[in-house]
Amino acid sequence: MNTPPPCENTGVSDSIPGREPLSEPALSDERRTRDTRRAACPVARSPAGVTLLRHADVVAAAADPATFSSAVSAHRHVPNGLDPPEHAAYRAVIDPFFTPGRMQTLEPRLRTIARETVAALPRHRAVDAITALGYPFAVRAQAEWLGWQGIEDELLAWMADNHAATRSAERSRTAAVAAAFDALVAAQIRRRRELGDAAPRDPTTELLRAVVNGRALPDADVVSILRNFTAGDLASIAAALGVAVHFLATHPAEQAALRARPGDLPEAIDEMLRIDDPFLANRRVTTRATRIAGFVLEPGTRVELNWTSANRDETVFGDPDAFRPRDNAPNNLVYGTGIHVCPGRPLATLELVLAVRALLAMTARIELAADAAAERGTHPLGGWTRLPIRLT
Ligand code: HEM
């Protein structure tokens, strides 16, 4: 592992130590690398800007959108790239999609999908929990929720392309994948417009009829929100499921306890994700000179809020690997904090709980496959990209 650079705070941003390049072993478990870096220094500079590693600094930045703006991209991203006051008007439209009543209505349909996906997994031999469980479950659940039934295979192919493009870090590839997704969404919108009053009553149709500040949403905003929903749902649900399955497979005592008390799953899964947060970071840009962790940041500084690192801050959680669902819940940052806190949390929790519940109910044991190696995701992907398990 690389030796962390010195952290001499002279009060100017130039003194923020660099974090690149990371060696291969450091990249292969960035979570542990961050543990070492965080202990040496609260911030790190990379070509992408300044990364905040400690819990208190990440929370402070997320709580101050006037200084840490989310308008980081030249393109409009709704709602994640919006700042106050515009942001609140869009959240007022988005938040009602995730009420307890809506989740209750959706639950039986998602439970069936979870059970069918788990039933299709082979027993007594290695199976990849990411491609055989995480991806298909996330795609089917997403299609069911948004009313996109019938395009599951297209979504699965898109996920694979998206994953490959993200890993390549090539702008042209990521742009092509984004355009392919927009085309997919555009087809859903076109279909509903053509059907008019006969359009299915689902969240996609509802979004098309939504009104913000007295105006119907422009199609570009509908596409952007749906891209946000899909990006949130597909990639993070698949990754989060991988983290939960890995935890269960490597913690037999907790696995047995959760088999006996599945009602504990919501809090337990949140804690598994705190320990190994697969949703690594979100970006901000400073609107004015500010001081964070004692370092001065000039206006226009790109800042990364590193949720994965903040969720393992030993000054808040003690031993970051200790599994303490109840104690750690109040400080858990897996779903963010501040005005951009994840609106999809109830849906994410429902999906994860149903998938893990089905897995526990329909097996006697979950363990890592002895003869195949797991592979961790590397920045900007967290969690596991391959997770061979064996079910009995
Ligand atoms: C395990 C799954 C998920 C994780 C870990 C996660 C995590 C997060 C985090 C950390 C943020 C804060 C971003 C920021 O501060 O810049 C966020 C925002 C957001 N999430 Fe999630 N999310 C998940 C699932 C979902 C799902 C299922 C949906 C919707 C279907 C969703 C929709 C969104 C949206 C729309 C935002 C932007 C909110 C805003 O800017 O106001 N997420 N999510």
Side-chain angles (χ1 to χ4, degrees):
M1 184 169 290
N2 291 0
T3 314
C7 186
E8 188 191 346
N9 186 355
T10 60
V12 293
S13 63
D14 284 355
S15 63
I16 295 175
R19 73 169 164 103
E20 308 288 352
L22 293 180
S23 64
E24 273 302 314
L27 269 175
S28 72
D29 193 348
E30 203 172 321
R31 188 173 55 128
R32 306 240 173 252
T33 306
R34 292 261 178 259
D35 287 349
T36 323
R37 297 283 156 96
R38 183 180 59 248
C41 194
V43 286
R45 185 182 287 285
S46 78
V50 171
T51 301
L52 307 183
L53 298 170
R54 291 196 184 158
H55 192 277
D57 300 325
V58 167
V59 171
D64 182 5
T67 309
F68 293 89
S69 161
S70 288
V72 291
S73 164
H75 303 286
R76 180 175 164 85
H77 292 287
V78 184
N80 55 322
L82 304 181
D83 287 326
E86 193 183 17
H87 175 260
Y90 281 85
R91 281 297 294 251
V93 167
I94 289 169
D95 289 357
F97 282 92
F98 305 98
T99 57
R102 298 256 186 155
M103 297 301 106
Q104 230 170 9
T105 311
L106 194 58
E107 182 168 348
R109 285 143 60 197
L110 295 187
R111 187 183 307 120
T112 303
I113 291 174
R115 295 186 73 86
E116 286 173 358
T117 312
V118 171
L121 297 173
R123 306 299 196 260
H124 308 290
R125 65 178 169 84
V127 57
D128 182 6
I130 307 300
T131 50
L133 173 65
Y135 279 22
F137 174 71
V139 161
R140 286 191 62 192
Q142 159 88 352
E144 184 63 37
W145 174 57
L146 283 178
W148 294 5
Q149 294 91 343
I151 64 159
E152 288 84 350
D153 288 345
E154 265 176 87
L155 280 172
L156 268 175
W158 178 81
M159 269 186 96
D161 287 350
N162 187 37
H163 190 91
T166 308
R167 285 188 83 162
S168 78
E170 287 169 29
R171 252 173 211 275
S172 59
R173 276 183 82 175
T174 43
V177 168
F181 182 73
D182 286 1
L184 221 129
V185 179
Q188 293 292 328
I189 293 178
R190 215 172 27 249
R191 185 166 78 88
R192 285 168 176 77
R193 290 226 191 281
E194 282 163 10
L195 287 169
D197 287 346
R201 289 164 57 88
D202 57 34
T204 309
T205 304
E206 222 175 304
L207 210 49
L208 281 170
R209 296 180 181 157
V211 171
V212 172
N213 296 330
R215 278 191 321 123
L217 282 181
D219 274 8
D221 282 1
V222 175
V223 172
S224 185
I225 293 171
L226 287 170
R227 193 190 304 121
N228 231 301
F229 282 176
T230 313
D233 213 354
L234 296 182
S236 19
I237 293 295
L241 202 45
V243 166
V245 172
H246 182 268
F247 182 92
L248 292 169
T250 51
H251 294 75
E254 282 80 3
Q255 184 184 144
L258 288 166
R259 283 181 186 284
R261 302 210 340 216
D264 292 348
L265 276 174
E267 227 171 27
I269 292 172
D270 278 356
E271 176 68 345
M272 295 171 199
L273 299 179
R274 180 200 64 76
I275 292 171
D276 187 5
D277 187 348
F279 194 96
L280 296 185
N282 284 107
R283 296 184 297 152
R284 301 290 190 266
V285 58
T286 54
T287 56
R288 53 192 175 213
T290 187
R291 189 178 274 272
I292 194 129
F295 290 86
V296 172
L297 304 182
E298 290 94 13
T301 304
R302 305 253 146 197
V303 178
E304 188 188 74
L305 313 188
N306 196 292
W307 308 114
T308 307
S309 170
N311 266 322
R312 295 177 56 79
D313 187 335
E314 39 292 304
T315 64
V316 175
F317 301 104
D319 173 1
D321 289 311
F323 182 70
R324 286 192 287 257
R326 194 136 306 161
D327 294 349
N328 290 335
N331 293 312
N332 188 319
L333 293 177
V334 167
Y335 292 97
T337 176
I339 62 165
H340 292 277
V341 68
C342 182
R345 180 176 186 166
L347 177 61
T349 304
L350 178 66
E351 291 184 3
L352 293 171
V353 166
L354 290 174
V356 174
R357 194 187 266 257
L359 200 58
L360 292 174
M362 297 169 73
T363 63
R365 199 162 58 180
I366 306 162
E367 56 196 344
L368 293 185
D371 45 359
E375 190 184 296
R376 283 197 67 78
T378 53
H379 197 279
L381 305 169
W384 302 92
T385 49
R386 192 176 57 218
L387 182 61
I389 54 165
R390 186 172 174 277
L391 303 174
T392 35

